[in-house]
């Protein structure tokens, strides 16, 4: 199947009909001439798969991925090494497990730093990581520790993700805080800028990935 994709994209025409016919010819050959395949040494078939797999690996894509997300590039590299050293299913299985672990880690890590200016009384709250419902109790507890009449600014520049639950918590706490004489300032433009950067980066990686395959 890997060789078929590489063959179809590099040698055959790019339209759908050529891909379908290519699969039909392979299926017909396997179904009606299996004895011919048995005459081919297994080592030769393995060499063809290895060669096709190497052609599918694009170092330019890996370099671009490394510049965008080193953890993602690490998962990609480990998956590639496992595929070469063991087999395809084992390599893909390891890659999926590592990707899930990375996803859980990213969505369960939120660092909350509170700094108070003793001269002005202003409190800065810095959020780093992913503000998801998993960290909702920690965020709520950090906000409740602040003085009721303080001017609070929440910095969102270093967030990688924030969900609706945390946004609702900040909005509700802002109303509550203002009712006690305090104020809450949020830099929404920074969050929008971060979102645009992430979208642009994801689009670039997706485009390179499509080009790589």
């Amino acid at each position: 199947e890997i060789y078929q994709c590489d063959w179809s994209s590099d040698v055959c025409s790019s339209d759908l009909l050529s891909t379908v016919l290519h699969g039909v010819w392979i299926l017909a050959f396997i179904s009606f001439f299996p004895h011919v395949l048995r005459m081919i040494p297994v080592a030769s078939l393995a060499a063809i798969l290895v060669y096709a797999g190497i052609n599918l690996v694009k170092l330019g894509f890996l370099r671009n991925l490394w510049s965008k997300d080193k953890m993602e590039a690490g998962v990609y590299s480990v998956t590639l090494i496992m595929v070469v050293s063991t087999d395809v299913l084992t390599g893909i299985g390891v890659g999926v497990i590592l990707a899930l672990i990375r996803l859980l880690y990213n969505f369960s890590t939120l660092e909350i730093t509170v700094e108070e200016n003793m001269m002005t009384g202003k409190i800065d709250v810095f959020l780093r990581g992913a503000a998801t419902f998993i960290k909702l109790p920690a965020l709520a507890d950090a906000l409740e520790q602040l003085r009721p009449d303080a001017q609070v600014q929440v910095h969102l520049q270093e967030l990688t993700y924030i969900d609706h639950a945390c946004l609702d918590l900040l909005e509700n706490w802002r109303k509550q805080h203002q009712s006690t004489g305090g104020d809450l300032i949020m830099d929404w433009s920074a969050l929008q800028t971060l979102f645009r950067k992430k979208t642009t980066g994801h689009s670039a990686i997706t485009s390179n990935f499509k080009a790589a395959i």
Side-chain angles (χ1 to χ4, degrees):
E1 181 179 355
I2 295 176
Y3 187 68
Q4 173 187 347
C5 297
D6 190 50
W7 178 269
S8 298
S9 59
D10 294 339
V11 181
C12 300
S13 63
S14 60
D15 59 6
L16 180 61
L17 180 60
S18 64
T19 304
V20 173
L21 289 178
H22 188 201
V24 170
W25 291 126
I26 292 178
L27 179 61
F29 194 88
I30 294 175
S31 301
F32 298 104
F33 305 101
H35 58 281
V36 177
L37 291 178
R38 296 191 187 99
M39 298 173 62
I40 303 176
V42 176
S44 299
L45 295 175
I48 293 175
L49 290 177
V50 170
Y51 175 77
I54 292 175
N55 287 337
L56 291 175
V57 177
K58 306 297 181 182
L59 295 180
F61 167 71
L62 182 58
R63 285 194 295 267
N64 182 71
L65 186 61
W66 178 264
S67 64
K68 300 292 183 181
D69 192 334
K70 291 181 174 56
M71 291 185 64
E72 191 72 24
V75 173
Y76 180 88
S77 301
V78 171
T79 303
L80 176 62
I81 293 173
M82 291 300 298
V83 168
V84 174
S85 60
T86 57
D87 57 72
V88 175
L89 291 179
T90 302
I92 293 177
V94 171
V96 170
I97 293 174
L98 291 177
L100 290 176
I101 293 175
R102 175 183 177 275
L103 184 64
L104 290 175
Y105 174 79
N106 288 343
F107 277 84
S108 61
T109 302
L110 176 65
E111 180 182 346
I112 305 172
T113 304
V114 179
E115 297 180 359
E116 182 175 359
N117 190 323
M118 303 305 296
M119 299 293 295
T120 62
K122 178 183 176 182
I123 298 178
D124 293 290
V125 180
F126 297 90
L127 302 181
R128 301 179 181 89
T132 64
F133 68 94
I134 299 176
K135 290 298 182 179
L136 203 60
L139 180 59
D141 183 66
L143 294 175
E144 292 300 327
Q145 300 296 325
L146 305 180
R147 295 197 327 271
D149 60 342
Q151 181 183 12
V152 180
Q153 181 171 359
V154 179
H155 298 267
L156 309 172
Q157 293 91 335
E158 298 186 56
L159 278 181
T160 57
Y161 179 78
I162 183 169
D163 63 9
H164 289 287
C166 290
L167 287 175
D168 289 340
L169 172 64
L170 291 172
E171 178 62 21
N172 293 332
W173 189 85
R174 180 184 67 83
K175 296 177 181 178
Q176 175 186 341
H177 191 59
Q178 288 178 342
S179 67
T180 60
D183 191 19
L184 175 64
I185 302 173
M186 296 183 62
D187 190 1
W188 294 106
S189 61
L191 187 62
Q192 294 174 355
T193 301
L194 175 65
F195 175 77
R196 285 196 295 268
K197 288 182 179 179
K198 292 295 181 181
T199 303
T200 303
H202 176 73
S203 299
I205 291 176
T206 302
S207 299
N208 289 331
F209 177 75
K210 290 180 178 178
I213 60 176

